[in-house]
């Protein structure tokens, strides 16, 4: 019989790639989507996945416990991927309460619905490198054992979720795991994250559709990978012999300035002629440096990324070039 996967956040960047990946491996995939006033925007990223009859979505929300219980009871999933979140770090300062409600209390709502309706399922929690905040080991990496000192409402919400997963794993003997994923991007990345913002603007500048790009802090470093590689890792985390926590990263770091330099140069432009700073995009507290050590996932799960920083950027540039052509 086909395995059944239940995905929250299925309409997001990772949720949509994960759905396609699991469908390609013969899973029956279920998801919840929130109600949007413009219904066609709701599942624009799911266009490919919907071609497969093994995908079913219904309305639900992490803050609506009745919808979560209904889904768990009726689907009885084998694997649960909890990807739903208010995932924008700067916006978590504008909407701290919604962020904590969804990313922290919402995870507890999911765990309770899971524990009470389908405790033999496996549960994946979308944890984040943002949990490390400004904490870095002496060798300049963050890893599973690095202290967590988050520097944003988003980071704080994810630390709660990470800890409650570990607590429920032990207390109730559940197969609940954390994937601690570093930044990952793709052509489906939201327009207000820095990768899409830089690449879309550079392409539009190249085509004469825009004349400048306003950014915040260009000296922050991030470990950027491709979402397609990272959703593969999520599935490997749940198919490991025991529940555990894994860092997923490329083990390389680049600054926002490096990103601008690479992307504009690829389009035969000099970023310094177009990029200006706007304090509007600075954060109340910045996380300056992320570089993940994913040795544990590589040796235990056999996971390796296929994309590099450069091939990720190239994939996104190609996408936005085609979009505008
Ligand atoms: P994303 O594109 O922003 O997708 C988030 C998804 O969550 C969307 O489908 C969104 O639905 C849904 N959602 C938001 N609030 C919800 C609620 N209250 N109830 C139900 N669904 C809700 O994020 P992503 O990049 O795919 O990230 C997936 C997960 O991984 C998130 O938990 C994120 O925090 C975490 N993460 C991401 C990264 C990264 O670099 N991408 C790194 C580490 C961890 P709408 O479309 O209706 O808003
Ligand atoms: O910012 C700087 C910004 O918003 C990256 C989420 O997926 O990864 C993501 O969070 C860096 C930061 O991602 C702009 O200050 C400069 O230093 O693309 P971002 P993020 O905050 O790292 C983690 C791991 C997650 O878990 C999150 O869900 O770029 N930056 N200028 C800017 N960032 C944005 N968005 N816009 C700018 O104009």
């Amino acid at each position: 019989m086909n395995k059944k996967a239940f995905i929250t956040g299925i309409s997001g960047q990772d949720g949509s790639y994960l759905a396609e990946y699991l469908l390609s491996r013969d899973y029956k995939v279920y998801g919840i989507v929130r109600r949007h006033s413009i219904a066609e925007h709701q599942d624009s990223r799911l266009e490919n996945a919907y071609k497969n009859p093994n995908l079913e979505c219904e309305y639900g929300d992490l803050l609506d416990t009745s919808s979560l219980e209904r889904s768990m009871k009726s689907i009885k999933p084998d694997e649960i991927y909890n990807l739903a979140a208010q995932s924008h770090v700067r916006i978590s300062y504008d909407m701290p309460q919604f962020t904590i409600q969804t990313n922290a209390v919402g995870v507890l709502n999911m765990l309770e619905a899971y524990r009470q309706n389908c405790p033999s399922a496996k549960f994946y929690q979308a944890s984040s490198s943002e949990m490390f905040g400004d904490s870095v080991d002496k060798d300049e990496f963050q890893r599973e054992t690095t202290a967590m000192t988050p520097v944003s409402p988003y980071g704080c919400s994810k630390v709660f979720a990470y800890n409650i997963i570990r607590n429920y794993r032990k207390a109730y003997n559940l197969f609940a795991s954390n994937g601690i994923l570093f930044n990952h991007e793709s052509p489906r990345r939201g327009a207000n994250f820095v990768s899409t913002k830089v690449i879309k603007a550079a392409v539009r500048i190249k085509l004469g559709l825009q004349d400048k790009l306003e950014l915040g802090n260009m000296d922050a470093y991030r470990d950027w990978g491709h979402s397609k590689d990272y959703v593969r890792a999520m599935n490997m985390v749940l198919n490991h012999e025991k529940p555990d926590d894994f860092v997923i990263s490329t083990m390389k770091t680049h600054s926002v300035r490096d990103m601008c330099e690479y992307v504009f140069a690829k389009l035969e432009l000099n970023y310094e002629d177009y990029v200006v700073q706007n304090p509007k995009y600075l954060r109340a507290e910045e996380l300056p440096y992320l570089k993940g050590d994913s040795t544990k996932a590589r040796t235990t799960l056999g996971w390796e990324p296929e994309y590099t920083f450069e091939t990720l950027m190239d994939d996104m540039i190609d996408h936005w070039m085609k979009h505008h052509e």
Side-chain angles (χ1 to χ4, degrees):
M1 220 175 62
N2 293 5
K3 272 201 204 171
K4 291 184 281 184
F6 175 54
I7 306 176
T8 71
I10 194 166
S11 61
Q13 169 188 255
D14 291 0
S16 60
Y17 282 120
L18 178 65
E20 285 168 28
Y21 179 71
L22 296 177
L23 288 166
S24 76
R25 296 172 72 86
D26 289 331
Y27 278 72
K28 173 97 184 149
V29 176
Y30 299 83
I32 47 167
V33 292
R34 297 192 293 172
R35 186 258 169 186
H36 276 204
S37 64
I38 305 178
E40 54 274 33
H41 283 186
Q42 179 57 74
D43 40 21
S44 56
R45 291 187 178 110
L46 290 171
E47 218 171 274
N48 283 341
Y50 264 130
K51 290 179 189 149
N52 190 317
N54 282 328
L55 173 67
E56 269 181 45
C57 289
E58 55 183 12
Y59 288 106
D61 194 301
L62 253 52
L63 303 180
D64 184 289
T65 50
S66 63
S67 63
L68 304 180
E69 283 185 15
R70 187 189 58 231
S71 295
M72 305 270 193
K73 228 180 238 162
S74 61
I75 299 166
K76 294 269 183 234
D78 300 296
E79 295 176 8
I80 300 165
Y81 296 87
N82 185 40
L83 310 187
Q86 191 301 92
S87 72
H88 201 286
V89 174
R90 201 201 55 74
I91 296 173
S92 76
Y93 282 98
D94 300 340
M95 301 169 65
Q97 282 148 337
F98 176 77
T99 303
I100 302 292
Q101 280 294 332
T102 299
N103 301 4
V105 181
V107 178
L108 184 56
N109 293 342
M110 282 290 291
L111 278 174
E112 277 298 311
Y114 156 49
R115 179 172 85 83
Q116 293 184 33
N117 294 291
C118 50
S120 55
K122 296 176 175 182
F123 191 106
Y124 174 90
Q125 170 57 21
S127 286
S128 164
S129 51
E130 191 72 15
M131 299 188 306
F132 297 119
D134 52 12
S135 166
V136 187
D137 287 358
K138 284 206 178 83
D139 62 359
E140 298 191 342
F141 280 95
Q142 287 105 354
R143 49 179 59 84
E144 291 82 1
T145 49
T146 305
M148 291 179 182
T149 54
V151 294
S152 63
Y154 172 84
C156 293
S157 72
K158 288 286 183 179
V159 171
F160 172 84
Y162 167 85
N163 281 319
I164 199 79
I165 291 287
R166 289 165 59 97
N167 171 227
Y168 269 50
R169 178 197 302 162
K170 269 198 141 179
Y172 300 114
N173 195 25
L174 296 169
F175 195 115
S177 297
N178 286 290
I180 307 172
L181 273 49
F182 281 61
N183 298 54
H184 46 281
E185 321 292 310
S186 74
R188 294 185 193 165
R189 185 59 139 159
N192 53 4
F193 291 92
V194 79
S195 59
T196 300
K197 194 171 163 186
V198 167
I199 291 164
K200 209 171 151 183
V203 164
R204 286 173 58 82
I205 289 168
K206 179 73 182 172
L207 298 175
L209 301 169
Q210 185 172 333
D211 53 15
K212 63 173 181 163
L213 165 62
E214 293 183 350
L215 289 179
N217 178 13
M218 295 183 66
D219 297 314
Y221 281 79
R222 291 291 183 275
D223 178 332
W224 278 293
H226 199 300
S227 173
K228 281 189 180 171
D229 281 332
Y230 287 41
V231 301
R232 238 181 339 104
M234 295 175 188
N235 183 243
M236 291 172 120
V237 166
L238 285 200
N239 283 283
H240 185 49
E241 63 199 19
K242 60 180 174 62
D244 203 346
D245 308 319
F246 294 94
V247 160
I248 304 295
S249 67
T250 69
M251 305 185 66
K252 300 221 160 44
T253 192
H254 295 88
S255 66
V256 174
R257 193 178 299 283
D258 295 338
M259 178 186 278
C260 290
E261 200 171 343
Y262 181 85
V263 170
F264 279 76
K266 192 87 191 173
L267 295 165
E268 296 167 331
L269 299 168
N270 180 354
Y271 82 93
E272 287 169 319
D273 296 336
Y274 305 99
V275 180
V276 291
Q277 196 180 63
N278 185 337
K280 183 169 115 184
Y281 299 112
L282 295 173
R283 294 166 185 201
E285 190 179 358
E286 175 65 281
L287 191 168
Y289 185 89
L290 284 176
K291 185 167 71 163
D293 176 4
S294 46
T295 306
K296 180 177 170 187
R298 290 169 193 242
T299 53
T300 320
L301 306 175
W303 175 82
E304 286 285 337
E306 284 175 8
Y307 285 84
T308 61
F309 172 78
E310 290 77 15
T311 57
L312 162 67
M313 294 293 115
D314 295 350
D315 187 33
M316 293 177 71
I317 295 170
D318 274 3
H319 169 83
W320 285 106
M321 265 294 182
K322 284 191 189 121
H323 175 85
H324 282 293
E325 279 161 12

